[in-house]
Every structure is written in C-alpha cells, then in structure tokens.
Amino acid sequence: MKIGIPKSLLYYYYYPLWKTYFEELGFEVVSTPATSKSIIDLGIKHSVPELCVPIKVYIGHFLKLLEENVDYIYVPRFISVLKGQYFCPKFMGLPDMIRHSFEGIEEKMLMPSITAKNDNIAEYNNFRPLEEKLAISPKANKKALEKACKIWESFRNYCYLGYTVVEASDLALGNIKEAKILPAKASVTIGVVGYVYNLYDSYISMDIVKKLREMDVSVKTFEMLNENSLNKKIKTMAKNLFWTFSDKLIGAGYSFYDDENIDGVIHVTAFGCGPDSFIGKLLELDSPVYEKPFMTIRVDEHSGENHLQTRIEAFVDMIKRKKLKAKRGA
Amino acid sequence: MRVSFPYMGTTVVYKKLLELLGHEVIMPPKPSQHTINLGVKYSPEFACFPMKVITGSYLQAAELGAEVIITSGGHGPCRAGFYEQVHRRILKEEGFDIDFIVFNSMFRDSKQFFKNIMKLKGNSSWLKVGQSLFMVYDMIRKLDKLEKRVQKIRAYEIKKGEATRVWDIIQNQFDRANCKGSIQKAFYDGSQQLDQIKTYNVNEKEKMRIGIVGEIYVVMEASINMKMEELLGNLGAEVERSQYLSQWVAYNALPAFINQTHEVEILKKGEPYIPINIGGHAKQTVGHIVDYSQRGFDGVIHLMPFGCLPELVSQSIIPKISQSLNIPVLTLSIDEQSGTANSLTRVEAFIDLIKGKRIKKIS
Ligand code: SF4
Ligand code: SF4
C-alpha cells in the first residue's frame, strides 16, 4: 500500500518521523517532488485567492500526489504541541478545507488530530486513529512509533548541532553519513527567523540559508535552539502571544537579539501570512532597542532571485563593516 | 481612570458600565475613513482588517487622552490577547504609554479575570459592581430585543431611513438612563416609537430573510461593513445577525456544564464541516449557515475581514455548504476598499438572484 505525504508545511519538521513510522509498518511512502512553478500554480488555481502562499503550495502538492496513484494521503490536523497553545487556524482547518473542496476525496485522506505535550508528536493517541483504516494492530503501531520516535529525536539532535532540517533529516535517516556541511568558523552569524516550510522550500525561499553560508555566514534558526529554553523565552515575553510556530519564531527572534554571538537578524516571510506580519512589526520596532540590524525578506510566487541576492549581500556587508569598525575602535 | 475601548456595535453599554464604576470614559470616535487610514498606516500590512481599524481607533482615543484601554478576547481577536501586545507597542512608538486590560472568558483564565475586575473596581463597593453588571446586562438584552425589531421593520418601512433614525434615538435614550427604572422606561418608549413606524403590509410568504454571518467585528460594526443591515433592509430584506452582544455575554459568562446557550447549539451544527474550534468565529460561521438554511432563510451574507485566518477556512468550505444545503451565500471581503460601488453591486445582484429564485419557486 502506498501512503502519500505532500512535501510541504510540516513535512520539513516531521518527515523523518513519518517516513520511519509508515515504512516500519510495511507501507511505501510516496512524496512529491520539490515545489515547482507548476505545483504552485496548481495550488493557486484550487484555493481562495487570499490564502497565504504556504497553504496554496500545500494544496498544490496534495493535488500532485493524487496523480501518483497513492492509496491514502496523510493530512494530519495539527492542533497543539504545547499546553494551552494552538496552531495557526489554517493548520487546524487544513483537512476541512481540502475535504470540502474536492468531491469524493475524503475517503482517501488520513487526517488524525495531533495534540502533544511538546514537539515530539510520536504519541500513541496521535496515531491510533490510523489503525482501522490501515488495518494495523495496536502492537505493531506502537512498535513502529517507538522506532519513529527515536529517529525523530536523533533528527532533532542534529538540528541542535547546527544542521538545517534538510541536512538533519538526511543524517537521521541515514541518507548521508556525518558530513562537513557545517560552515567552518564563520566571520558573521545571522539569526534567520522563518517557518521551516518557507526556509527549506528552495522554491519559496530561493535557498536563502545556502546563499548566506556561501557568503561565509553561519546561520542560526529556531529549530537549532533548544526547545525548552525557547519555550521559557516565550513564556517570559508575554502572557498570550500567537500560535505555536509563530511563537517559536518570535521567541527565536528575541533570543537572537539577546545573544551577543549573533550579529543580525533576517526575517523570511511568505506573502499573506498574518502572524508573520505581527512578528515582523515587533522585531522591526525593537531592532534599534537591541541595536541589532534587522531585515525582512518577503517571498511570493514571483519574487526575483537576483534581487534577493543583492539584498542579503548588502546586509551581510553592512554587518561585516560594522564589526570591523567596532574592532578597530576597540 | 480615563478609560477607552474599541468601538464595536452598540457602544453605549460599555460606556455605561465604566461610568457606573466611576471611571471617566473617553468615547472612541466611530470608525471613519480617517480612522481606517490611520490604522492601515500604523499596522502590519497583513494584519487582519479589524486589527487595523482598532489600531486607528486606539490612536484616536489616545489623542483624546485615554490612559487605559479595555478590550476583550472576543472583540475581534481569534485568541486571547492576540494583538494587544502589538497595539501596545505601536502606541508606545507613537509616544502613548497606554495600559491595557484584556478581558477573556472568566473560565479560561479566572485569575486574570479577577485581577482585571479588581483594577476596574477602583473604589466602588462589590455591591455596586454587582449591581452595575446586572444593570448593564439588562440593558444589553433590552437593546438587542429592540434592535432585532429594527432589523425587521426596516425592510417594510414606508419612509426610508425611519427605522434607523428611531434606532439612533433609542440608543441615545439608553445612554441617558442610569437606573433600573429609567432603563425600563427607555425600553418602553423605544418599543412605542418602533410601533409608530408606518410599514407596508407584506404577506408572510413574500417576506425575504437574510442572515449575516462572519467574524464578530465586521458583523457587528456597521461603519466598516458598508452598513450591511441598512443596505439589506433597504433592498427589502429582513436581517438577522449571527452575533448579538447579549448572546456573546451569555456564552462567555457561563461555565461550560450549564452553558446551553444558542451558541452551543450553533457550534454543533458546524461540526460536520469544521469539527473543532479553530479560532475566531469560523465554526460559528458555518454553524449559522446551517442554522439559517434549516430555518428557511433565503440567503446568507458572509462577512470576512481581509486577512482573517479562520474565516479563510470557512470561506474555502462555504461553496460546498451552500451547494449541499441549497442556500445562496455571498462572501464579501471587508477591507479599506469596501463600500465601493463594486461591492454594492454584488449585494444588489445577490438579492436580485434570490428574488428570481423565489419567483420561480412560486410559479
Ligand atoms: S502561520 Fe502564516 S504562513 Fe503558516 S499557515 Fe498560518 S498564515 Fe499561513
Ligand atoms: S478572527 Fe479574523 S479578524 Fe478576528 S482577530 Fe482573528 S484573524 Fe483577525
């Protein structure tokens, strides 16, 4: 049996877990190719215009999977991975948007709800709903989960070491051996604030992380920060903030502002994201307070690559000059 | 304390409560194009429209000297305190150091709720607080009752605009009332004035009824939703809104186990389409559409603020609901451009379509 997983949204965060889990149960996991113009266009064509780019991209991938002859498509409903905090409404309503938009699609969808105490969603209750449809026994289910959990933990440990989620995923799944993909001691460190589904989708972010590394910049992102200390940071900030992943981003943003080893912050945001709009505004207003350079990069369906290159080059140069000056002054 | 609050719907009730507790109230100006422009200028670009209007509104209130702003998780935000942080920061940037008191349902965060009450209570006695709350709730219920009548009469009034004029007078009368007796009198007078409006006699079968659903702020606040209720009334339709203040209060002030309010029922009706609460009013929106169709309404106007996350989910689902329940639904995105001829034409065309459908049914 073939299970399809769209290469979009939290795929970038949970793929090692999902792939291990389904394969352990003896299913074949089918995913979509990297986002392309045709996938985005497919998504745009089948969604309401005001939706944010990432959700449109997801719908594109979903439809693409239908062409692959899969038996089921896994579209989990993310509700909460932290007590009292929730996902962006579009995540919580994602399965509903899809099943009510395409006639007869519902039977093909696996849409268990996900609620967990922390980012590690390998809890039995999140996967038990699959038992009936996929005809698996509780025992096999639990066993597969155990394995998936281990792989995911190792994936996270690679993240903490400074690998991007793409690298960490490859490492955890054993696709590559320990590699020297971390830049050696870089002259500049930049905190990049952005959702995994934007930063690591090469089409959406035009590989900004790679581009920065090529400029001899060491990059930090939210998933490289320890989950517990990030949560603590968020708690000290305000009583009520945004939604889970938006919270992580803003927590990361301020952690970067506080961290003296980080020289500047770049916010990468996709067209149409409300929560990002707030995060960007707060970080922008507070950039002078913390005396750290800040820049927003907004990507949409047609942002140009050259333009991006020029902007990040200018930003990095500015930081390098600033550092040089400080050194001379000292 | 010089307090202010976001402008939404029948504002006299918030004003009244604060006055009863001995505060000086800075009335925020009714949202105008100027308010909206201010809001758009100082808010993040992809913030939802209510957030932007409220930014503008706060800036105006701050200029008038407000020191404290009281707001609630239900006046727009999808979730508790969602944008209060950002508002605070924006105001500070403009040189206004303003304190916020954010009310949420007492059962979600009772500690915070209590703290807020203490702040507002000031020097009033508990008895006074209790009495004031009761009085204002009584007022809300009476105002809602009268408003529901206005929404019907408007469709049949002979002199266009009369119901709206009377409704303004009624709100004024309530504004001046400050004891049980005078509220009763305002209610009585209001009912009488409504009785006196001359209307056409329309056969029960020929009446057209339209429901308005969507996010609470754009549904409740006429000055930003093209005065949708008046517009529909003038086109000859009776109107019912998905939200009334009294329902909102009842729903948020009762603990879950005895909460048998209308809202609970509506949420159940939304379940087949959106099984869980995804924030904002998305689930209510779909629930209300189901409810209106079951009650034989002729159509539904869905008001959705630009950039509203949960309503985007409901918007994606509405075509399916509309089709399977056979009820026409028109979604209108509300932003700084709405109110233009284009949106007007769409509403008129929608009503024409419904009228056409009825004629077909009859013949
Ligand atoms: S957080 Fe932003 S980008 Fe992500 S789904 Fe929600 S609106 Fe879209
Ligand atoms: S429900 Fe919609 S309009 Fe209301 S605060 Fe949330 S996003 Fe904004």
Side-chain angles (χ1 to χ4, degrees):
Chain A
M1 199 180 329
K2 287 186 191 168
I3 311 273
I5 304 180
K7 190 170 187 172
S8 179
L9 295 180
L10 292 182
Y11 166 97
Y12 293 94
Y13 203 51
Y14 288 117
Y15 183 65
L17 191 157
W18 291 336
K19 182 175 157 73
T20 312
Y21 170 76
F22 285 117
E23 285 186 351
E24 225 21 53
L25 287 167
F27 303 116
E28 187 186 334
V29 173
V30 178
S31 192
T32 30
T35 307
S36 59
K37 173 118 189 10
S38 71
I39 290 182
I40 291 197
D41 286 345
L42 202 59
I44 292 174
K45 200 172 143 207
H46 290 96
S47 46
V48 297
E50 265 182 44
L51 273 177
C52 57
V53 168
I55 298 283
K56 286 181 179 164
V57 169
Y58 188 92
I59 293 177
H61 279 276
F62 179 91
L63 294 172
K64 186 88 191 160
L65 263 181
L66 286 179
E67 298 167 10
E68 301 285 324
N69 251 329
V70 290
D71 298 278
Y72 289 108
I73 300 181
Y74 182 61
V75 188
R77 182 193 301 280
F78 276 95
I79 298 178
S80 170
V81 291
L82 190 66
K83 195 167 168 249
Q85 290 296 56
Y86 295 90
F87 272 82
C88 165
K90 292 184 201 166
F91 272 94
M92 294 198 278
L94 184 64
D96 303 321
M97 280 196 263
I98 294 179
R99 72 193 168 106
H100 294 304
S101 297
F102 308 102
E103 206 54 58
I105 204 71
E106 197 168 334
E107 312 135 33
K108 256 201 155 165
M109 293 168 65
L110 301 170
M111 34 186 187
S113 296
I114 307 286
T115 39
K117 285 191 286 303
N118 54 41
D119 287 7
N120 188 348
I121 57 168
E123 287 178 21
Y124 182 49
N125 64 318
N126 293 332
F127 292 84
R128 191 175 40 201
L130 301 177
E131 283 172 6
E132 203 188 327
K133 256 191 177 168
L134 299 181
I136 43 181
S137 72
K139 199 167 153 226
N141 198 2
K142 281 182 196 159
K143 205 170 139 247
L145 258 185
E146 222 171 274
K147 176 93 189 282
C149 177
K150 278 211 189 92
I151 296 285
W152 193 73
E153 279 167 358
S154 108
F155 156 78
R156 288 296 283 141
N157 285 331
Y158 282 119
C159 293
Y160 295 146
L161 288 177
Y163 291 101
T164 66
V165 295
V166 180
E167 294 154 359
S169 170
D170 278 342
L171 285 165
L173 290 171
N175 296 347
I176 50 170
K177 291 269 163 294
E178 203 85 18
K180 279 199 284 292
I181 31 188
L182 283 176
K185 196 120 183 61
S187 56
V188 171
T189 305
I190 290 184
V192 179
V193 175
Y195 301 111
V196 284
Y197 45 85
N198 288 335
L199 278 191
Y200 301 112
D201 186 320
S202 307
Y203 193 89
I204 296 190
S205 74
M206 289 170 284
D207 275 328
I208 184 167
V209 174
K210 206 164 128 217
K211 286 201 167 80
L212 282 167
R213 282 178 171 180
E214 278 162 8
M215 293 173 198
D216 191 27
V217 170
S218 153
V219 174
K220 273 225 164 207
T221 54
F222 89 84
E223 73 279 3
M224 297 177 191
L225 304 175
N226 177 280
E227 188 181 337
N228 288 334
S229 43
L230 188 57
N231 282 344
K232 244 186 235 146
K233 179 90 202 164
I234 296 166
K235 270 210 186 109
T236 58
M237 287 177 45
K239 301 155 273 158
N240 309 295
L241 266 171
F242 311 100
W243 292 288
T244 293
F245 273 82
S246 315
D247 266 352
K248 287 185 193 293
L249 291 196
I250 193 139
Y254 281 99
S255 303
F256 296 153
Y257 274 167
D258 278 336
D259 184 345
E260 53 184 42
N261 294 319
I262 290 186
D263 306 304
V265 175
I266 297 181
H267 180 213
V268 179
T269 170
F271 195 83
C273 174
D276 255 4
S277 214
F278 288 91
I279 296 171
K281 185 87 184 176
L282 284 175
L283 288 177
E284 181 195 312
L285 289 174
D286 279 333
S287 148
V289 179
Y290 291 85
E291 294 176 359
K292 280 234 170 123
F294 171 80
M295 170 170 82
T296 298
I297 291 199
R298 182 185 302 147
V299 283
D300 61 24
E301 299 100 282
H302 2 256
S303 26
E305 186 138 2
N306 289 337
H307 183 58
L308 177 85
Q309 183 80 22
T310 327
R311 285 195 62 203
I312 48 179
E313 261 168 26
F315 188 72
V316 171
D317 282 348
M318 184 262 292
I319 290 176
K320 283 185 181 161
R321 271 199 310 275
K322 200 175 137 200
K323 280 186 97 167
L324 210 63
K325 225 167 135 197
K327 226 195 226 157
R328 282 209 198 110
Chain B
M1 287 192 293
R2 293 160 69 94
V3 293
S4 191
F5 48 82
Y7 197 103
M8 182 181 87
T10 28
T11 36
V12 299
V13 295
Y14 320 111
K15 176 165 173 251
K16 183 82 351 171
L17 179 61
L18 294 168
E19 279 175 357
L20 286 171
L21 293 176
H23 299 293
E24 186 186 334
V25 176
I26 307 285
M27 261 314 259
K30 199 184 196 127
S32 60
Q33 198 55 45
H34 176 61
T35 318
I36 295 175
N37 292 347
L38 266 181
V40 168
K41 180 164 167 213
Y42 289 101
S43 312
E45 186 181 351
F46 288 104
C48 54
F49 189 57
M51 188 275 172
K52 292 183 180 172
V53 182
I54 293 174
T55 303
S57 203
Y58 286 168
L59 282 166
Q60 287 178 317
E63 248 153 40
L64 293 173
E67 297 159 341
V68 176
I69 285 171
I70 299 179
T71 177
S72 94
H75 287 190
C78 323
R79 287 202 35 236
F82 174 59
Y83 38 58
E84 162 237 338
Q85 292 297 329
V86 184
H87 276 140
R88 200 193 288 260
R89 194 66 183 77
I90 293 173
L91 285 168
K92 201 168 139 211
E93 199 64 20
E94 295 313 304
F96 300 112
D97 211 345
I98 288 194
D99 203 11
F100 277 78
I101 302 184
V102 185
F103 271 94
N104 289 304
S105 168
M106 165 161 107
F107 304 98
R108 250 173 274 156
D109 188 352
S110 50
K111 241 199 255 148
Q112 187 60 38
F113 187 85
F114 202 70
K115 256 201 236 150
N116 288 342
I117 291 276
M118 287 307 283
K119 271 198 219 162
L120 276 185
K121 177 177 167 276
N123 296 326
S124 320
S125 68
W126 280 113
L127 183 68
K128 176 86 188 159
V129 174
Q131 279 171 343
S132 310
L133 284 174
F134 259 107
M135 210 164 103
V136 169
Y137 184 53
D138 182 41
M139 194 156 149
I140 293 175
R141 281 190 10 210
K142 292 200 159 76
L143 274 165
D144 278 353
K145 262 192 206 144
L146 294 176
E147 192 180 15
K148 283 185 181 171
R149 285 192 60 199
V150 171
Q151 293 169 326
K152 290 207 168 94
I153 295 172
R154 212 183 256 133
Y156 315 115
E157 63 192 1
I158 289 173
K159 214 165 109 212
K160 281 291 160 221
E162 200 174 358
T164 306
R165 196 177 50 82
V166 170
W167 175 230
D168 283 341
I169 296 173
I170 293 175
Q171 292 184 64
N172 257 318
Q173 284 164 339
F174 272 87
D175 190 14
R176 264 172 292 151
N178 44 23
C179 66
K180 221 175 146 209
S182 48
I183 291 177
Q184 190 56 42
K185 179 156 186 321
F187 181 67
Y188 180 77
D189 289 351
S191 312
Q192 293 251 305
Q193 281 158 316
L194 287 177
D195 287 342
Q196 277 157 20
I197 298 177
K198 290 209 177 59
T199 54
Y200 297 106
N201 257 335
V202 176
N203 201 321
E204 201 52 48
K205 270 208 208 112
E206 273 158 40
K207 289 185 173 171
M208 178 176 19
R209 288 184 301 162
I210 303 288
I212 300 180
V213 302
E215 190 273 344
I216 189 166
Y217 188 77
V218 289
V219 167
M220 300 270 284
E221 186 40 48
S223 63
I224 59 163
N225 70 15
M226 320 160 44
K227 300 200 173 131
M228 188 53 68
E229 293 169 33
E230 272 179 70
L231 178 62
L232 292 169
N234 291 340
L235 292 170
E238 283 185 23
V239 174
E240 194 177 308
R241 281 200 310 260
S242 53
Q243 276 109 349
Y244 292 89
L245 209 49
S246 54
Q247 284 165 9
W248 186 85
V249 173
Y251 178 68
N252 282 283
L254 294 175
F257 67 97
I258 53 162
N259 205 324
Q260 286 307 330
T261 42
H262 185 56
E263 187 120 359
V264 176
E265 219 176 285
I266 292 295
L267 285 172
K268 241 190 233 131
K269 292 187 183 178
E271 227 136 77
Y273 298 97
I274 306 181
I276 62 160
N277 186 356
I278 63 165
H281 300 85
K283 195 171 170 189
Q284 280 95 331
T285 293
V286 296
H288 275 290
I289 297 176
V290 174
D291 182 61
Y292 286 139
S293 92
Q294 288 169 349
R295 286 165 54 205
F297 273 55
D298 298 283
V300 175
I301 301 261
H302 171 222
L303 298 179
M304 174 185 133
F306 172 81
C308 174
L309 304 139
E311 291 301 339
L312 274 165
V313 175
S314 43
Q315 190 198 3
S316 308
I317 298 175
I318 282 175
K320 162 90 169 277
I321 307 179
S322 166
Q323 191 196 11
S324 49
L325 300 179
N326 192 19
I327 181 165
V329 182
L330 174 68
T331 294
L332 289 173
S333 176
I334 304 289
D335 63 9
E336 59 268 31
Q337 324 277 351
S338 42
T340 53
N342 176 32
S343 332
L344 269 172
T345 321
R346 288 185 60 201
V347 176
E348 283 167 5
F350 181 69
I351 296 297
D352 283 344
L353 175 128
I354 288 173
K355 282 182 184 156
K357 218 172 142 193
R358 309 194 96 211
I359 293 171
K360 242 197 244 148
K361 225 193 265 170
I362 294 165
S363 61

